[in-house]
């Protein structure tokens, strides 16, 4: 069987991936809090770990991989949005307004991630459907001495778990020094974090042994991954910004509640995304959502391609120039592969690159070297590119440019003799003005209709 090697954040090593059960490879990715549109940075883990999902399906079989990505649909930001709508006079109870907001946001999320060519996970649990599982897990932690109830809150006792900090390689005391830990009168120790908090009448709440309240964020992933993947599963993935405290807290909760299991065996973290060399921020005016880019006419497939050109473990920079280059490449590949059935399998060098710690940049470099269009299509699809349903944007405009390409090649040959290149330049300029991309090399002349292609401007050339 093909060996996949992955950089495990927990050991800081590239390791051979050996699943617990090859008949059911299990992976969890922390999903979105559904209060607003996903921004470009939110989409990076979805796209890079979608490639991992595809690779696992390729190696172990499509029916032998379970991929879970949650929706956090209970959160103070969601509550605040719903409360603001209610105060603005929106009809319905607060619960109904919260539900409407999360439904709407989940719909947007699906539409946007579908546009990026991300396969839907096997399961997409919503936190509010697992409140019972969270309450029993918290009760279990209290009983085992890893958590305590105080003033309607339940807190995790961080110092009861000696392994705390192992994922990020920091000691508890270092973390206290470096983190903005909230000091609260109901905490035994500033590092202790909330498992359950009280809800007043204005907030969504569920009855619990500690009164009416709602769960903390971290317990959601522990409860949902346990319910759907078991006490031990293979891969837990997420953005590097979640490593501490979110993932440390998930590990502490899960390993203390289920000491019989190992929780996640391989931890994968993607690095952050910048825009034109700067951190994305609303104040810099370079903050955008996936939808903003799609609305500007940048196809989801192009966004995906740009993401995959950088290894997930490195910071990536979104630039307009990269998007333009990606668009030209995809347009060329789509023209080459038009109407061609994919080969039965992807090129070995593409598979090898992906198996080497998900080297998507190497896989794309390998795609550039593939001459056979059928193999190109099959290989690109392993990365979720050149999929049949995603190519409408690149549908070649109705144009046969072969005569013009021959004419330009002919003019060039003559110009070599006469040393008068003016006719070549004139035709080239006219083509560019009509939105045609002109590529001239020793091998020949290639004409590609670009996004602004206008056939009318070719008349008379
Ligand atoms: Zn999580």
């Amino acid at each position: 069987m093909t060996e996949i090697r992955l950089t495990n954040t927990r050991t800081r090593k590239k390791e051979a991936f050996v699943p617990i059960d090859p008949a059911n490879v299990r992976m969890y990715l922390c999903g979105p809090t559904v209060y607003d549109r996903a921004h470009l940075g939110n989409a990076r883990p979805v796209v890079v770990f979608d490639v991992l999902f595809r690779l696992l399906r390729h190696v172990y079989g499509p029916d032998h991989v379970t991929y879970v990505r949650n929706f956090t649909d209970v959160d103070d930001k969601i509550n605040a949005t719903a409360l603001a709508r209610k105060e603005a006079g929106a009809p319905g109870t607060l619960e109904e307004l919260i539900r409407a907001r999360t439904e709407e946001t989940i719909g947007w999320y699906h539409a946007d991630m579908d546009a990026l060519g991300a396969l839907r996970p096997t399961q997409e649990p919503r936190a509010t459907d697992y409140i019972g599982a969270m309450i029993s897990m918290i009760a279990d932690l209290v009983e085992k001495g890893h958590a305590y109830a105080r003033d309607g809150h339940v807190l995790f006792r961080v110092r009861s778990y000696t392994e705390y900090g192992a994922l990020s390689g920091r000691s508890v005391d270092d973390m206290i020094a470096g983190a903005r830990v909230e000091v609260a009168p109901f905490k035994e120790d500033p590092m202790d974090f909330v498992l359950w908090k009280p809800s007043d009448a204005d907030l969504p709440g569920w009855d619990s042994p500690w009164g009416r309240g709602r769960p903390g964020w971290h317990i959601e992933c522990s409860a949902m991954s346990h319910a759907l993947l078991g006490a031990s599963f293979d891969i837990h993935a997420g953005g590097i910004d979640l490593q501490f405290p979110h993932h440390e807290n998930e590990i502490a909760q899960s390993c203390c509640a289920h000491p019989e299991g190992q929780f996640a065996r391989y931890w994968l973290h993607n690095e952050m995304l910048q825009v034109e060399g700067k951190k994305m921020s609303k104040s810099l005016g370079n903050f955008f959502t996936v939808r903003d880019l799609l609305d500007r006419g940048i196809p989801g497939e192009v966004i995906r391609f740009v993401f995959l050109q950088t290894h997930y473990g490195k910071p990536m920079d979104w630039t307009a120039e990269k998007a333009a280059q990606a668009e030209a490449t995809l347009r060329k590949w789509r023209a080459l592969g038009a109407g061609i059935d994919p080969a039965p399998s992807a090129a070995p060098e593409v598979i090898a690159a992906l198996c080497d710690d998900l080297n998507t940049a190497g896989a794309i470099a390998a795609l550039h070297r593939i001459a056979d269009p059928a193999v190109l299509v099959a290989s690109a699809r392993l990365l979720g590119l050149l999929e049949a349903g995603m190519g409408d944007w690149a549908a070649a405009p109705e144009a046969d440019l072969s005569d013009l390409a021959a004419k330009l090649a002919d003019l060039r040959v003559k110009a070599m003799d006469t040393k008068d290149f003016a006719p070549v330049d004139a035709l080239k300029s006219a083509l560019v003005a009509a939105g045609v991309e002109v590529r001239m090399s020793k091998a020949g002349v290639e004409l590609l209709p670009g996004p602004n292609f206008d056939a009318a401007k070719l008349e008379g050339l």
Side-chain angles (χ1 to χ4, degrees), residues 75-365:
D75 177 83
D76 291 346
K77 290 192 210 79
I78 301 170
N79 301 338
T81 318
L83 202 59
R85 282 191 180 182
K86 188 167 170 60
E87 280 163 4
T93 65
L94 186 63
E95 264 85 17
E96 285 163 355
L97 290 171
I98 287 171
R99 188 76 189 168
R101 180 64 179 176
T102 56
E103 287 290 335
E104 180 181 39
T105 313
I106 288 171
W108 291 342
Y109 191 80
H110 276 148
D112 294 350
M113 298 309 130
D114 290 353
L116 299 181
L119 300 173
R120 296 273 178 101
T122 323
Q123 306 233 39
E124 294 181 284
R126 297 182 187 196
T128 51
D129 290 334
Y130 288 83
I131 302 287
M134 294 176 210
I135 291 174
S136 51
M137 194 169 182
I138 296 169
D140 188 29
L141 288 168
V142 172
E143 197 172 300
K144 288 176 173 150
H146 292 294
Y148 55 94
R150 192 107 3 126
D151 301 340
H153 293 76
V154 184
L155 282 298
F156 186 90
R157 189 176 275 130
V158 166
R159 295 202 190 257
S160 75
Y161 179 56
T162 52
E163 298 288 301
Y164 193 87
L167 180 70
S168 37
R170 290 184 275 190
S171 74
V172 173
D173 294 309
D174 286 351
M175 282 185 273
I176 291 178
R180 281 175 293 167
V181 289
E182 194 195 347
V183 182
F186 49 80
K187 284 186 177 182
E188 282 179 4
D189 185 295
M191 275 308 281
D192 295 349
F193 59 88
V194 169
L195 299 171
W196 188 263
K197 53 192 164 187
S199 289
D200 61 28
D202 270 352
L203 289 170
W206 290 262
D207 290 328
S208 81
W210 318 284
R212 186 174 175 277
R214 60 199 196 283
W217 171 40
H218 314 298
I219 196 71
E220 295 178 12
C221 288
S222 285
M224 288 186 277
S225 62
H226 183 261
L228 297 168
L229 299 174
S232 303
F233 58 93
D234 298 299
I235 298 170
H236 192 312
I240 191 75
D241 54 331
L242 298 183
Q243 188 184 39
F244 174 78
H246 183 57
H247 290 159
E248 292 285 6
N249 293 356
E250 279 189 38
I251 293 171
Q253 296 160 158
S254 294
C255 292
C256 290
H258 306 292
E260 74 282 9
Q262 300 168 280
F263 193 39
R265 299 169 74 223
Y266 299 83
W267 283 84
L268 267 66
H269 288 100
N270 66 280
E271 263 291 344
M272 296 292 97
L273 174 142
Q274 296 191 321
V275 171
E276 307 285 351
K278 295 197 180 75
K279 192 179 160 152
M280 193 164 70
S281 83
K282 284 185 175 148
S283 60
L284 286 174
N286 66 348
F287 181 95
F288 32 78
T289 64
V290 173
R291 182 53 47 181
D292 291 335
L293 289 184
L294 295 171
D295 286 349
R296 265 185 235 167
I298 300 178
E301 189 177 25
V302 169
I303 300 173
R304 182 181 183 93
F305 188 101
V306 173
F307 279 7
L308 297 182
Q309 277 181 309
T310 303
H311 187 262
Y312 74 90
K314 291 183 183 151
M316 81 149 275
D317 193 20
W318 171 271
T319 68
E321 195 189 336
K322 281 186 188 172
Q325 283 170 358
E327 183 170 335
T329 302
L330 284 168
R331 211 174 268 282
K332 185 178 86 176
W333 287 352
R334 281 208 169 267
L336 282 172
I340 287 174
D341 286 333
S345 71
E349 55 270 44
V350 172
I351 298 171
L354 294 180
C355 286
D356 180 14
D357 198 21
L358 225 54
N359 180 4
T360 52
I364 287 176

Side-chain angles (χ1 to χ4, degrees), residues 7 11 15 51 70 87 133 148 225 325 334 347 441:
T7 297
T11 57
E15 298 173 355
V51 176
N70 69 295
E87 280 163 4
Y148 55 94
S225 62
Q325 283 170 358
R334 281 208 169 267
S441 66

